Amino acid sequence: QVQLVQSGAEVKKSGASVRVSCKASEHTSITYYMHWVRRAPGQGLEWMGIIDAYGGSTAYAQKFQGRLTMTTATSTGTVYMDLNGLTSEDTAVYFCARAPLKATALDFWGQGTLVTVSS
Amino acid sequence: YVLSQPPSLAVAPGTTARVTCGGNNIGGYSVHWYQQKSGQAPVLVVYDDIKRPSGIPERFSGSNSGNTATLTISGVEAGDEADYYCQVWDGSGDPDYVFGSGTKVTVL
């Protein structure tokens, strides 16, 4: 059973940047994709982007283009999500979620990381 | 691509809950369903329209045809109270991966 462990809660000021990490407990040579999804207070799930955990190619939702970057450290099985230009609207719980193939379901999820943006 | 779900659904224990997900020709897509309980991460309960991941009770089932996909929960239990989201991959759109707006299932 794959477990995804995310970094801890963050509190940031408006305009700042945040990095959230996601480490897979079972780091194997089997390729997979990692998604980032967030849920803001009172809102539903929102897809942000996807990264090939081994190849490093990415695809982002247009909404986040220019301020979202996803990277991968293959040696440690860790994926990173960097979001800059934070506003109060970015206050949310951020989840990483794995998918075995690019168009398949998100089968394992991290525990979530609360990012709070204050002015 | 837009997926529409009813905001809420209230059901009595032991009955059947049907959560719908509407989309233009959604029957042509593979639909996945996630359960998110309060304060927890989402859990995949149905994938590829009708398949159940290991460990998900048989009470959870899915169907998909025409413009509506449905998640059916039979013999609803108190522990099924959660938000439920449908999701598809739309490789030609933005965003590529689309979630429905979510349905809050309340067990009376």
Side-chain angles (χ1 to χ4, degrees), chain A:
Chain A
Q1 177 109 351
V2 174
Q3 288 193 335
L4 303 177
V5 180
Q6 298 183 220
S7 50
E10 301 270 7
V11 178
K12 297 291 183 180
K13 294 285 191 182
S14 291
S17 299
V18 69
R19 164 170 280 200
V20 181
S21 66
C22 172
K23 181 176 173 59
S25 62
E26 291 183 12
H27 181 51
T28 71
S29 61
I30 299 174
T31 61
Y32 58 92
Y33 291 82
M34 198 70 80
H35 297 257
W36 288 90
V37 176
R38 73 180 186 180
R39 186 171 184 186
Q43 304 296 313
L45 297 176
E46 180 177 31
W47 183 79
M48 301 177 67
I50 184 175
I51 183 167
D52 176 341
Y54 278 86
S57 62
T58 58
Y60 305 138
Q62 183 68 31
K63 174 179 180 178
F64 300 102
Q65 289 281 358
R67 66 184 194 105
L68 174 63
T69 303
M70 296 179 184
T71 54
T72 181
T74 55
S75 59
T76 62
T78 303
V79 173
Y80 299 92
M81 188 276 296
D82 293 289
L83 188 63
N84 57 39
L86 293 172
T87 72
S88 58
E89 294 187 353
D90 293 314
T91 293
V93 178
Y94 290 75
F95 297 97
C96 60
R98 193 201 78 150
L101 298 171
K102 192 173 183 181
T104 55
L106 286 60
D107 56 3
F108 293 102
W109 292 65
Q111 82 276 18
T113 297
L114 174 61
V115 175
T116 303
V117 183
S118 63
S119 54

